Amino acid sequence: MLAAALLLANAPAGAALSAGDAAAVFKAAGFTKAADGRYIRCVEETPTASYTPGAIEAVDVNGDGQPEAFVTESSMFCYGSPHTFFGLVAKRAGGWTMLLDDVGTPVVLETRHGGWADVEVGGPGFGAMPVWQWDGQAYQRKTPGE
């Protein structure tokens, strides 16, 4: 989570989430709470040292003063390379909703579309990385060169 936290440092800080909101964020992102209290989205067939359970980073991606949340989970078994699932979850009138999900490291960019920050998907490789952009209704994944 440290790498994601460092890459999210450019995003405006959001308020910390309550325990109830955190549980709702995990649920919206497809996680379940294990008996030991960890939130898990993907159960490894054989546990590996690369596994890191679900974590939340509250950020204000659209600049409205209310937090959205990046949710991450890392596992080479579940997600291959670059090992990390991430989702962006926002609070709506009906509760928390997943706005985007991908595999890689979320990098909040300075550029915006419709008031929402663009989110680059960092990971291994060379060249331009995919970027999620808000189209006014939802995030759309843009692949450079398309």
Side-chain angles (χ1 to χ4, degrees), residues 65-118:
Q66 299 301 309
E68 288 78 44
F70 275 103
V71 184
T72 59
E73 177 185 56
S74 295
S75 166
M76 189 180 325
F77 176 84
C78 296
Y79 306 113
S81 184
H83 318 301
T84 302
F85 159 84
F86 76 89
L88 177 61
V89 183
K91 194 169 193 175
R92 302 284 196 214
W96 289 89
T97 304
M98 181 86 85
L99 298 182
L100 72 90
D101 65 270
D102 210 331
V103 176
T105 302
V107 180
V108 177
L109 302 176
E110 300 268 335
T111 54
R112 294 181 169 272
H113 287 83
W116 291 72
D118 294 346

Side-chain angles (χ1 to χ4, degrees), residues 22-58:
V25 165
F26 278 123
K27 183 177 180 181
F31 285 75
T32 57
K33 190 172 185 178
D36 63 4
R38 297 179 305 155
Y39 282 91
I40 298 172
R41 185 171 192 268
C42 178
V43 177
E44 295 183 318
E45 186 174 297
T46 303
T48 66
S50 72
Y51 183 77
T52 304
I56 295 174
E57 177 76 22

Side-chain angles (χ1 to χ4, degrees), residues 7-14 59-61 70 108:
L7 293 172
L8 295 174
N10 290 345
V59 295
D60 183 2
V61 180
F70 275 103
V108 177

